Amino acid sequence: MLNEPTRHLLVVEDEPKVATFIKKGLQTQAYRVDVALTGTEGKTLFDTNPYDLIIMDVNLPDISGLELTEYVRSQNRHIPILMLTALDTTADKLLGFDAGADDYLAKPFDFLELIARIKALLRRSIPHDEQSNVLKVADLELNLDERVAKRHGQTIDLTAREYALLEYLMRNAGRVVSRVDIAEQVWDVGFDTGTNVIDVYISYLRAKIDKDSPKKLIHTLIGMGYVLKEK
């Protein structure tokens, strides 16, 4: 943490002992930490403070973590959100990612892994230069400053996770990327590669990017991975 600005984190966790454990641990890493024990309190803190990252529990006593994540994402498309919850099935993860979460860590968790994921998310959240930055493949465009995707000039509605996956594919256009590559670069450290979450999100992207176009851009190479390119 030397020579870096102090990062301000928000922990939304309804179990006081867990919240206190996380806060004390993060403070030893030189983070500033606020704790909310309810979704309502979390919403109030988010609305009144500029945070660098949010750790969000799903099962909250009032507003659910999913609802609060959707609210946060509607107000700020860039802030990293790490979901911390006992719900760890593929379906639960998909719900979290669809709501706008950037990463997912199941309870019980190793604190060192939590720190590693926070650092990875904060590295990725560093803003791009103010100069316009647009990735292009064929008639598909991704504006990195506005975080907007367009094809045939039409805006494509993407969730935060779909956007991150598309950005990775476009940055590696023409190169085959494996599921392990995607897990490490898009889902960060510790992702369970035994799940089919990546395949599901590739399908989501195909439905939005390629469905209405005769020119398909996302291709599967059996046994190897995926590639985004113009054939």
Side-chain angles (χ1 to χ4, degrees):
M1 302 295 294
L2 292 178
N3 301 320
E4 292 184 6
T6 301
R7 299 302 189 97
H8 195 184
L9 312 186
L10 172 62
V11 177
V12 186
E13 166 61 61
D14 69 322
E15 297 182 42
K17 289 184 178 179
V18 175
T20 300
F21 167 73
I22 293 173
K23 179 176 182 177
K24 288 183 177 179
L26 293 177
Q27 287 175 332
T28 67
Q29 301 295 310
Y31 292 114
R32 291 176 57 204
V33 184
D34 292 339
V35 169
L37 298 178
T38 68
T40 300
E41 184 182 359
K43 181 177 180 295
T44 299
L45 286 172
F46 168 75
D47 285 337
T48 55
N49 296 280
Y51 291 106
D52 296 296
L53 180 142
I54 297 175
I55 298 173
M56 182 84 70
D57 188 23
V58 171
N59 293 322
L60 298 172
D62 46 4
I63 304 172
S64 78
L66 294 175
E67 291 176 295
L68 184 53
T69 295
E70 289 177 343
Y71 172 76
V72 169
R73 193 55 74 217
S74 73
Q75 303 299 309
N76 187 320
R77 301 184 65 177
H78 304 281
I79 185 171
I81 301 174
L82 170 61
M83 281 201 158
L84 191 64
T85 175
L87 305 174
D88 63 350
T89 68
T90 297
D92 292 322
K93 292 177 181 179
L94 290 174
L95 286 173
F97 291 138
D98 285 346
D102 296 285
D103 200 3
Y104 202 110
L105 185 59
K107 299 176 182 177
F109 59 90
D110 184 294
F111 187 75
L112 292 179
E113 182 176 358
L114 174 63
I115 292 298
R117 293 194 182 211
I118 289 172
K119 289 181 177 179
L121 287 171
L122 289 173
R123 282 196 302 269
R124 286 174 45 206
S125 70
I126 296 174
H128 296 285
D129 293 336
E130 293 183 1
Q131 182 179 358
S132 179
N133 196 356
V134 179
L135 302 177
K136 294 184 180 181
V137 177
D139 54 359
L140 175 65
E141 296 185 0
L142 190 66
N143 188 308
L144 301 177
D145 298 317
E146 299 177 3
R147 294 177 69 87
V148 172
K150 292 184 178 181
R151 188 158 192 198
H152 312 300
Q154 300 297 313
T155 300
I156 302 167
D157 185 23
L158 299 174
T159 65
R161 182 58 53 178
E162 290 167 349
Y163 175 90
L165 177 56
L166 179 59
E167 179 181 347
Y168 180 68
L169 291 175
M170 292 188 73
R171 286 187 182 277
N172 292 275
R175 183 174 77 87
V176 178
V177 292
S178 68
R179 294 177 77 256
V180 172
D181 292 331
I182 294 172
E184 292 178 348
Q185 299 300 321
V186 180
W187 265 263
D188 299 315
V189 297
F191 180 77
D192 181 5
T193 56
T195 71
N196 66 339
V197 169
I198 291 173
D199 306 300
V200 170
Y201 271 87
I202 289 289
S203 296
Y204 287 169
L205 267 188
R206 278 200 174 107
K208 295 184 177 183
I209 300 299
D210 286 340
K211 182 180 178 181
D212 297 324
S213 176
K215 186 183 296 182
K216 308 305 180 187
L217 296 178
I218 302 175
H219 309 281
T220 301
L221 280 74
I222 298 175
M224 298 176 65
Y226 304 98
V227 60
L228 189 147
K229 67 178 182 178
E230 181 179 10
K231 278 194 174 181

